[in-house]
């Protein structure tokens, strides 16, 4: 995730706040926000993760020129051949940790550009999941003036077995 | 409204009931808002037949976002300086969520007063689904 632009827009913030069940007027009422100390609509603290919409490399949303892996005629597009065979469940990447450091809060009108680098990788043995392989990515989000707004560290994990409770 | 340092002390806890019966629709809503359409969150057939789960489950970031509402309602708008979590257990449709922030440290820097918090979110069985920390500027 690097180089693309993530415009911070009011209707997107409103939809995101609704999805996390947050009716705070700071996230949808421009008049209320204008009278507040912030002076404008700000974004909830986890809003940066709505960046998937703008990241051309994201594999978490359907792309116009590629078949999506979700179910349709078959459980997944990847098994159109021999679809009668039940698939053996295979572990997929899960989100293990998420860290944000806010240098300032996002405001409507900001346009962010991320720069991502790979961090550490490590392994652990889990009780329910077998061997766990963790990998870290660090992203700096800079605004339209080149100022650092948020530093984000995300940790993904692949488990040996599917965790089902 | 922001928190005042004089109203806080180490060990003080703040707990909020956030979700009583998580609906699949809210997970779908979060997928749409965030752009994270990973099918094991919203596609029952994929989640059960391809990924091998009992059903779909909430995005970790939905749980962090719901927990974040407790935090921002508590410390005030635009006050967080740090917020980080570890996802310890999956959150399923029908689950309830309760989040707690506990003051661990109050301190001053040159320009401002800050408070550190431990964060824990549990499900309706009392199992921990998220642990983490936050830091906020206080008055």
């Amino acid at each position: 995730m690097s180089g693309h632009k993530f415009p911070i827009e009011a209707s997107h913030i409103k939809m995101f706040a609704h999805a996390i069940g947050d009716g705070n007027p700071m996230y949808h009422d421009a008049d209320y926000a204008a009278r507040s100390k912030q002076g404008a609509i700000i974004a909830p603290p986890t809003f940066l993760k709505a960046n998937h919409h703008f990241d051309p490399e994201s594999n978490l949303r359907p792309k116009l020129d590629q078949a999506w892996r979700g179910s349709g005629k078959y459980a997944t597009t990847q098994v159109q051949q021999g679809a009668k065979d039940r698939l053996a469940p295979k572990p997929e990447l899960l989100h293990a940790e998420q860290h944000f450091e806010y240098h300032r809060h996002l405001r409507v009108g900001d346009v962010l550009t991320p720069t991502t680098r790979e961090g550490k990788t490590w392994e652990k043995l889990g009780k329910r999941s077998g061997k766990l392989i963790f990998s870290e990515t660090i992203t700096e989000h800079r605004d339209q003036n080149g100022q650092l707004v948020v530093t984000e560290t995300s940790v993904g994990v692949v488990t040996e077995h599917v965790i089902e409770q | 409204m922001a928190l005042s340092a004089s109203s806080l002390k180490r060990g003080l806890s703040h707990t909020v009931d956030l979700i009583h019966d998580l609906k699949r629709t809210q997970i779908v809503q979060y997928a749409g808002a965030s752009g994270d359409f990973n099918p094991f969150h919203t596609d029952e057939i994929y989640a059960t037949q391809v990924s091998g789960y009992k059903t779909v489950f909430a995005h970790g970031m939905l749980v962090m976002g719901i927990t974040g509402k407790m935090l921002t309602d508590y410390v005030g708008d635009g006050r967080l300086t740090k917020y980080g979590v570890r996802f310890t257990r999956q959150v399923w449709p029908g689950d309830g969520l309760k989040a707690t922030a506990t003051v661990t440290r109050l301190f001053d820097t040159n320009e401002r007063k800050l408070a550190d918090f431990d964060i824990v979110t549990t499900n309706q069985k009392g199992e921990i689904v998220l642990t983490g920390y936050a830091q906020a500027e206080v008055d």
Side-chain angles (χ1 to χ4, degrees), chain B:
Chain B
M1 279 293 289
L3 274 180
S4 147
S6 61
S7 69
L8 296 176
K9 62 175 189 207
R10 200 163 164 257
L12 184 74
S13 276
H14 174 78
T15 299
V16 180
D17 267 316
L18 292 159
I19 297 279
H20 294 280
D21 170 9
L22 180 69
K23 304 296 189 189
R24 287 174 175 79
T25 302
Q26 187 168 1
I27 301 174
V28 170
Q29 208 179 355
Y30 186 79
S34 67
D36 181 348
F37 293 95
N38 195 329
F40 59 35
H41 292 307
T42 55
D43 181 335
E44 186 75 15
I45 291 171
Y46 184 97
T48 54
Q49 296 182 24
V50 181
S51 301
Y53 294 104
K54 64 181 179 184
T55 183
V56 294
F57 57 97
H59 305 72
M61 287 310 302
L62 172 55
V63 182
M64 186 178 188
I66 289 168
T67 302
K69 175 188 186 308
M70 174 279 289
L71 264 178
T72 49
D73 283 349
Y74 185 37
V75 305
D77 299 321
R79 290 298 181 122
L80 287 177
T81 56
K82 288 178 188 171
Y83 178 27
V85 304
R86 178 175 290 168
F87 305 107
T88 56
R89 193 174 275 270
Q90 275 147 321
V91 172
W92 306 98
D95 278 359
L97 293 174
K98 186 191 279 193
T100 300
T102 304
V103 179
T104 55
R105 187 162 80 120
L106 291 162
F107 62 107
D108 291 344
T109 64
N110 291 340
E111 314 124 29
R112 52 191 187 169
K113 292 179 185 168
L114 293 165
D116 282 340
F117 302 89
D118 268 350
I119 311 294
V120 177
T121 302
T122 53
N123 64 18
Q124 71 286 0
K125 296 177 198 158
E127 297 164 333
I128 294 171
V129 298
L130 172 155
T131 61
Y133 59 87
Q135 185 180 80
E137 191 174 349
V138 292
D139 285 341

Side-chain angles (χ1 to χ4, degrees), chain A:
Chain A
M1 179 170 77
S2 279
H4 66 276
K5 292 198 180 342
F6 176 17
I8 308 303
E9 293 165 346
S11 53
H12 191 191
I13 291 176
K14 179 178 178 171
M15 288 187 280
F16 186 92
H18 281 176
I20 60 170
D22 196 333
N24 186 341
M26 276 307 295
Y27 304 142
H28 64 81
D29 184 336
D31 295 334
Y32 174 93
R35 292 191 303 270
S36 73
K37 194 177 166 194
Q38 278 70 34
I41 286 177
I42 60 170
T46 60
F47 182 72
L48 267 176
K49 297 304 275 188
N51 203 337
H52 302 298
H53 281 297
F54 300 92
D55 178 3
E57 293 160 27
S58 174
N59 66 355
L60 295 175
R61 59 179 170 82
K63 291 188 183 150
L64 296 178
D65 54 354
Q66 287 171 28
W68 177 241
R69 60 188 180 278
S71 71
K73 192 169 184 181
Y74 303 101
T76 177
T77 49
Q78 288 145 7
V79 288
Q80 288 184 14
Q81 312 299 324
K84 285 178 196 137
D85 301 329
R86 289 282 292 201
L87 287 173
K90 76 171 196 297
E92 295 166 87
L93 185 74
L94 295 171
H95 199 177
E97 291 178 35
Q98 179 66 34
H99 306 268
F100 295 107
E101 188 179 351
Y102 307 100
H103 309 289
R104 72 167 172 80
H105 284 269
L106 301 180
R107 284 188 296 263
V108 164
D110 281 336
V111 180
L112 299 185
T113 303
T115 312
T116 295
R117 64 177 193 273
E118 299 304 315
K120 295 175 290 186
T121 59
W122 66 96
E123 288 185 12
K124 210 171 107 177
L125 199 61
K127 270 178 276 183
R128 291 176 291 141
S129 49
K131 189 167 80 170
L132 302 156
I133 303 166
F134 294 89
S135 56
E136 183 183 68
T137 55
I138 299 135
T139 306
E140 291 183 342
H141 298 269
R142 288 175 194 280
D143 68 12
Q144 55 282 8
N145 303 315
Q147 296 294 314
L148 185 60
V149 181
V150 179
T151 307
E152 176 198 345
T153 302
S154 195
V155 178
V157 61
V158 180
T159 59
E160 195 172 1
H161 314 296
V162 171
I163 308 170
E164 207 192 332
Q165 291 156 226

